[in-house]
Amino acid sequence: MILSGKVAIVTGAGRLRGIGRATAVALAELGADVAVTGTGRDPSRFPEDEKAAGWRDIESTAAQVRQLGRRCLPIVGDVSVGADVNRAVSEILSEFGRVDILVNNAALARGADRVAVTELSKSFGARCWT
């Protein structure tokens, strides 16, 4: 248990097939206690595989961590909102007393102002890398 006694935060940990869930579980397997965050997605908008599995967003990820004998604190919040971040950090410090590992995995939903990388213009790429 190389991470025994350590506390990790994993943002964006609510999806069944997500990197955040897998990371939270892996950290727990290595001995860390974990705080997981997610936006509290509406279950009616879950993918079909999550609905079929009875998935409950970060609560399900927290249950998987706890099954490994580790403590887990699920926190609903939006990492792009400062007040949510401050509240989350306060709750985590209150529960665990420390933070040793941070995995910033949360993503932003694609909006009208965002496009897939394959749709970016060459001039956009030139501006980013100069």
Side-chain angles (χ1 to χ4, degrees), residues 92-109:
I92 293 162
L93 291 176
S94 178
E95 177 74 19
F96 297 116
R98 63 189 289 164
V99 174
D100 302 291
I101 302 162
L102 173 61
V103 179
N104 280 317
N105 177 67
L108 294 174

Side-chain angles (χ1 to χ4, degrees), residues 67-125:
Q67 286 174 349
L68 295 168
R70 307 310 312 162
R71 294 185 298 158
C72 189
L73 178 64
I75 300 173
V76 173
D78 185 335
V79 297
S80 69
V81 176
D84 284 4
V85 172
N86 289 337
R87 178 182 49 81
V89 170
S90 178
E91 289 180 26
I92 293 162
L93 291 176
S94 178
E95 177 74 19
F96 297 116
R98 63 189 289 164
V99 174
D100 302 291
I101 302 162
L102 173 61
V103 179
N104 280 317
N105 177 67
L108 294 174
R110 187 180 321 159
D113 62 332
R114 297 183 66 200
V115 297
V117 70
T118 56
E119 296 174 21
L120 291 174
S121 68
K122 289 180 183 177
S123 64
F124 176 83

Side-chain angles (χ1 to χ4, degrees), residues 10-18 20-22 24-25 36-47 49-51 53-66 72 74-78:
V10 180
T11 67
R15 295 199 179 264
L16 173 63
R17 292 177 286 120
R21 184 208 61 80
V25 170
V36 293
T37 73
T39 58
R41 297 176 295 144
D42 179 352
S44 70
R45 299 184 63 193
F46 284 10
D49 63 330
E50 289 183 356
K51 290 178 184 177
W55 194 251
R56 297 173 293 123
D57 202 64
I58 57 173
E59 290 297 335
S60 290
T61 301
Q64 291 181 340
V65 168
R66 290 179 188 127
C72 189
I75 300 173
V76 173
D78 185 335

